[in-house]
Amino acid sequence: MKQITAITIATIGTAALLAGGGGIALAAGQTAASAASATAAATTAAAPAAAADISSRKAVQIARKRVPGGRVTEIEREWEHGHSVWKVELRKGGWEYDVYVSAKSGRIIKFKRDYDG
């Protein structure tokens, strides 16, 4: 029972640190040293992944370069063939365009055009 409680407290503390609530983690029973080391480990692990992903705003800019004058109707994050992508849907002149932008590199990995008129 003590082991389950300790694991639960550690899990809650880690989640609180990742969410930015270092004070909550300390209140859950962690010492300042272990909270600091957990914060450093979480920052080190999360920084490369966060720095590599592009934002939805950047994905829209890339899609608009591919379809100049297109009106963005939908943006969503998806998995396409094992890659994290932004699917940007645009409409222009009776046509619907789906531009799939890699969330890691910003490259267009798939492009579809359907007549919607």
Side-chain angles (χ1 to χ4, degrees), residues 58-79:
K58 182 66 175 170
V60 167
Q61 290 174 347
I62 293 166
R64 282 188 170 155
K65 284 183 182 178
R66 180 67 190 254
V67 185
R71 180 177 50 91
V72 177
T73 57
E74 187 176 344
I75 306 165
E76 59 184 302
R77 189 96 178 236
E78 291 185 352
W79 282 96

Side-chain angles (χ1 to χ4, degrees), residues 16 19 38-39 71 98:
T39 301
R71 180 177 50 91
D98 292 330

Side-chain angles (χ1 to χ4, degrees), residues 57-108:
R57 181 175 287 181
K58 182 66 175 170
V60 167
Q61 290 174 347
I62 293 166
R64 282 188 170 155
K65 284 183 182 178
R66 180 67 190 254
V67 185
R71 180 177 50 91
V72 177
T73 57
E74 187 176 344
I75 306 165
E76 59 184 302
R77 189 96 178 236
E78 291 185 352
W79 282 96
E80 185 73 22
H81 301 290
H83 299 282
S84 178
V85 298
W86 288 103
K87 177 186 173 190
V88 183
E89 185 180 291
L90 302 104
R91 293 186 186 270
K92 178 182 175 185
W95 290 89
E96 179 180 289
Y97 300 88
D98 292 330
V99 182
Y100 294 80
V101 180
S102 170
K104 297 291 181 193
S105 67
R107 295 180 60 205
I108 295 174

Side-chain angles (χ1 to χ4, degrees), residues 38-53:
T39 301
T43 304
T44 304
D53 285 356

